Amino acid sequence: MPGDDLILEGGQVLTMVPGAAPAQAVALSGDRVLAVGSNAEVARTRGPETRVIDLDGRTLVPGLIDAHAHMEREGLKTLRPSLAHARSIADVLAVVAAEAARKPPGSWIVTMPVGQPPFYFGGPSNLAEGRMPDRHELDAVAPDHLVYIPGLFGNWGVPPGHSALNSRALALHRIDYATCPDCSGLTIELGADGQPNGVIVETNKRPLVEFSILTQVPAFGFEDRLEGLRRSLPLYHAFGTTSIYEGHGSSPETIAVYRRLWEEGGLTMRTRLCVSPTWSNVQEARLAMRDWLSYARGRGTGDPMLSVSGVYIGLGGDKAAAGAVRRALPNTGWMGFVEWANRIEDFSDYAWLAAEHDLRVHSVVVDRLAEVLDVFEAIDARFPLAGRRWVVEHVGYVTAEDIARVRRLGLMVTSIPFYMLWKNGASRLSDEARQEQFLPQRALLEAGLPLAAGSDNIPVSLFTAIWASVARQERTTGRAIGPGQALERLQALQTVTRNGAFLSFEEDRKGTLAPGRWADLAVLDADPLTAPVDTLAHIRAELTLVGGRAVHGHSFLQAQS
């Protein structure tokens, strides 16, 4: 249901309409923006039932659009016991013991990783002993249970990840000194007796241990994922996010979870998904595109709250890992998408099929943009891509020639500035000559491309993306990477509002505040245009509205009553 008639006045309203000066007030009627302008102009729309809220100088912006959200993950983290407070093995064991006291014998105890969320940097180095608890220590506090402390999900932090199991969990998986994982990047540690000590070290970015040798660990089930999604929504809304775009693809079960919540009327985030396919070869892909994916063709199928359009086609990956994940379906672990293993030739075959069946292609390119553009240009000669808005995501190195090619093809570009610059930028510092080509946000915007930015769920706030776009600092040295590509604050805000709407062909409905647009907006606790740079990443929303209805900040509304 739409919201009531509402006027928010006496603030700074950043409409994000190109060239528009800040306004003072906005009027909403139902689920739409009625008027934007000065206090006096907007006051003329007031009716007898209109509620008026004094912004008291606060900044109001269009609802933020996360171009690469992985939103369903965040709530899942709350379903397992946290070890964030743990500073010693004794602290970890106390959590396991408490779980053992409340769970029946023979059941599983599965926690979150050791370390500080959201990154879990350092893993066991956060503990006084500098190591994980071994199987004997876990046995001492939970002898009748199966215990598993997982390593970090590599996208959150930086591998390696350290897992720990007790003896019963090792025995269930038949892990002994001779066990050889079928996926690379896994090491089973041995104790002084030559037997596994319960610790497994993984260097894979996306953990495969549960798909390879720990296949009996309870996976997140459908109801877990549904509850996790419910819990994710308020966490994203708290930072002003009103729309997400999952261009990295969503597995069939992930899409089903979103559909269930939408069907129940509980989906408060405008959600745009694309399909993460389960096919293993071109023959399967041809049948899937021809017979089953008609709903995802063109601009897709859906309504203002949930829609699905196009497919994700991965480039690169490990064949053994992709096979292990497919064998575990519908379980996708923390990923939410289906792992891939595609050579550029495979990528090309799938992209050609997608063009033939009018399916938008999305792909994470990082530093392989030029190769992807070669494929897309060949396809464009047979199936013109203009207007289809295929998406290249997670861009890394981009040259001036690449930018020109992207423009000619009419592609959308998404960036993950916090992930690429702050979290993982250290490896880019040594290549001084190419720093200005690494995530060249300014060059992309100045070329007229509607560059969009996402959080990648690390962390959930898009204000970290805004900060990283402005500061471009790398976390280990504090140095700026390609400072000439730093954005002005309004430009950075543009990448998480107006530009994100182009991804879903909704630039006439959201991303800006103008009469007739959806009443999606956020009232912030600080002005992103003037706040000290080092506070930009910490801005929160005091009020978030989707379609005129409050999805965050009910206490703010009550205080204004």
Side-chain angles (χ1 to χ4, degrees):
M1 292 179 61
D4 300 324
D5 289 357
L6 181 68
I7 290 177
L8 299 104
E9 64 180 15
Q12 174 183 234
V13 178
L14 303 178
T15 67
M16 300 311 298
V17 174
Q24 293 178 309
V26 58
L28 312 177
S29 181
D31 65 349
R32 302 281 172 161
V33 174
L34 179 62
V36 182
S38 69
N39 290 332
E41 290 168 336
V42 171
R44 298 189 192 110
T45 69
R46 182 174 180 176
E49 302 298 322
T50 302
R51 183 179 180 186
V52 179
I53 292 178
D54 182 7
L55 293 173
D56 193 24
R58 293 177 176 85
T59 297
L60 184 153
V61 299
L64 273 53
I65 302 170
D66 194 328
H68 200 106
H70 293 300
M71 184 177 70
E72 74 282 349
R73 290 179 191 161
E74 191 64 20
L76 287 177
K77 301 172 188 176
T78 69
L79 300 184
R80 292 176 172 175
S82 172
L83 298 177
H85 70 287
R87 297 295 180 272
S88 67
I89 287 176
D91 292 340
V92 175
L93 296 179
V95 171
V96 175
E99 289 294 297
R102 73 178 190 87
K103 288 191 168 187
S107 61
W108 276 93
I109 296 170
V110 183
T111 70
M112 287 297 290
V114 169
Q116 298 299 302
F119 309 112
Y120 301 94
F121 289 139
S125 68
N126 290 278
L127 304 180
E129 297 84 355
R131 63 174 179 84
M132 295 291 286
D134 63 28
R135 64 186 178 97
H136 304 293
E137 291 164 323
L138 294 171
D139 291 346
V141 295
D144 301 320
H145 294 75
L146 299 110
V147 180
Y148 174 52
I149 301 172
L152 87 163
F153 180 58
N155 284 68
W156 299 335
V158 177
H162 295 76
S163 302
L165 302 94
N166 70 346
S167 295
R168 291 193 64 163
L170 288 171
L172 178 66
H173 290 96
R174 299 181 180 179
I175 294 175
D176 61 23
Y177 71 93
T179 300
C180 181
D182 59 359
C183 294
S184 61
L186 297 173
T187 301
I188 299 171
E189 288 191 354
L190 303 180
D193 60 358
Q195 295 297 320
N197 66 4
V199 177
I200 300 174
V201 181
E202 177 159 24
T203 56
N204 297 310
K205 185 176 181 181
R206 286 196 280 274
L208 297 171
V209 65
E210 293 174 29
F211 300 108
S212 177
I213 56 176
L214 299 182
T215 57
Q216 301 305 305
V217 170
F220 291 119
F222 186 90
E223 293 300 324
D224 295 324
R225 293 187 183 278
L226 183 60
E227 178 60 22
L229 181 56
R230 289 192 187 102
R231 297 186 186 193
S232 291
L233 293 169
L235 299 174
Y236 277 74
H237 289 321
F239 295 97
T241 303
T242 59
S243 294
I244 62 165
Y245 192 87
E246 300 289 11
H248 202 154
S250 297
S251 72
E253 180 164 82
T254 302
I255 294 174
V257 169
Y258 274 100
R259 184 190 180 281
R260 171 70 67 80
L261 190 59
W262 166 84
E263 189 175 48
E264 293 176 353
L267 186 60
T268 57
M269 185 76 70
R270 299 195 194 276
T271 301
R272 308 295 177 247
L273 307 177
C274 77
V275 177
S276 179
T278 61
W279 60 57
S280 298
N281 54 56
V282 170
Q283 291 72 31
E284 291 179 5
R286 180 178 290 109
L287 291 176
M289 293 186 195
R290 187 193 72 185
D291 298 340
W292 303 112
L293 292 179
S294 58
Y295 67 90
R297 291 180 180 179
R299 298 188 180 189
T301 303
D303 71 359
M305 294 310 298
L306 177 65
S307 65
V308 183
S309 169
V311 294
Y312 176 83
I313 300 177
L315 178 59
D318 179 80
K319 187 174 182 179
V325 171
R326 279 166 172 73
R327 288 193 297 273
L329 289 173
N331 175 35
T332 56
W334 289 106
M335 291 180 287
F337 54 80
V338 182
E339 193 59 87
W340 66 89
N342 291 329
R343 304 167 302 159
I344 189 65
E345 294 83 3
D346 304 317
F347 177 89
S348 177
D349 289 343
Y350 293 136
W352 273 94
L353 282 175
E356 179 183 344
H357 291 90
D358 192 23
L359 288 162
R360 297 177 70 199
V361 170
H362 307 69
S363 188
V364 169
V365 298
V366 190
D367 297 333
R368 302 185 69 176
L369 177 58
E371 295 175 76
V372 169
L373 292 177
D374 288 343
V375 172
F376 286 1
E377 285 177 337
I379 291 171
D380 180 63
R382 173 68 177 83
F383 300 101
L385 297 184
R388 298 197 189 201
R389 298 190 186 178
W390 285 20
V391 188
V392 287
E393 305 179 62
H394 240 302
V395 293
Y397 285 118
V398 183
T399 67
E401 180 185 358
D402 293 334
I403 293 174
R405 297 169 75 188
V406 167
R407 285 197 63 185
R408 286 196 300 270
L409 292 168
L411 305 181
M412 299 291 102
V413 182
T414 70
S415 61
I416 318 294
F418 193 73
Y419 177 94
M420 297 291 279
L421 293 164
W422 181 82
K423 179 175 171 285
N424 292 312
S427 63
R428 313 289 181 162
L429 290 170
S430 59
D431 194 349
E432 295 279 354
R434 300 188 67 194
Q435 280 194 23
E436 296 293 329
Q437 294 179 346
F438 182 65
L439 192 55
Q441 294 166 285
R442 181 177 289 274
L444 288 161
L445 288 177
E446 290 178 350
L449 294 171
L451 173 70
S455 70
D456 210 3
N457 184 240
I458 31 181
V460 302
S461 172
L462 282 171
F463 288 99
T464 61
I466 290 173
W467 171 81
S469 298
V470 172
R472 293 184 67 93
Q473 286 182 3
E474 186 275 322
R475 66 182 173 87
T476 64
T477 64
R479 290 172 55 190
I481 301 173
Q485 293 301 318
L487 298 184
E488 300 296 330
R489 295 175 186 222
L490 197 62
Q491 289 178 310
L493 190 59
Q494 175 185 334
T495 67
V496 298
T497 54
R498 181 170 84 228
N499 290 3
F502 285 87
L503 291 166
S504 51
F505 299 89
E506 294 177 302
E507 60 270 25
D508 61 343
R509 281 169 272 178
K510 67 182 185 182
T512 54
L513 293 172
R517 300 290 200 268
W518 283 329
D520 300 351
L521 57 85
V523 177
L524 307 179
D525 66 0
D527 179 1
L529 302 187
T530 61
V533 172
D534 59 359
T535 68
L536 275 177
H538 306 294
I539 291 177
R540 299 178 67 93
E542 294 193 67
L543 174 68
T544 306
L545 304 183
V546 174
R549 296 186 67 84
V551 294
H552 168 74
H554 295 85
S555 60
F556 176 85
L557 290 176
Q558 292 169 0
Q560 298 293 323
S561 297

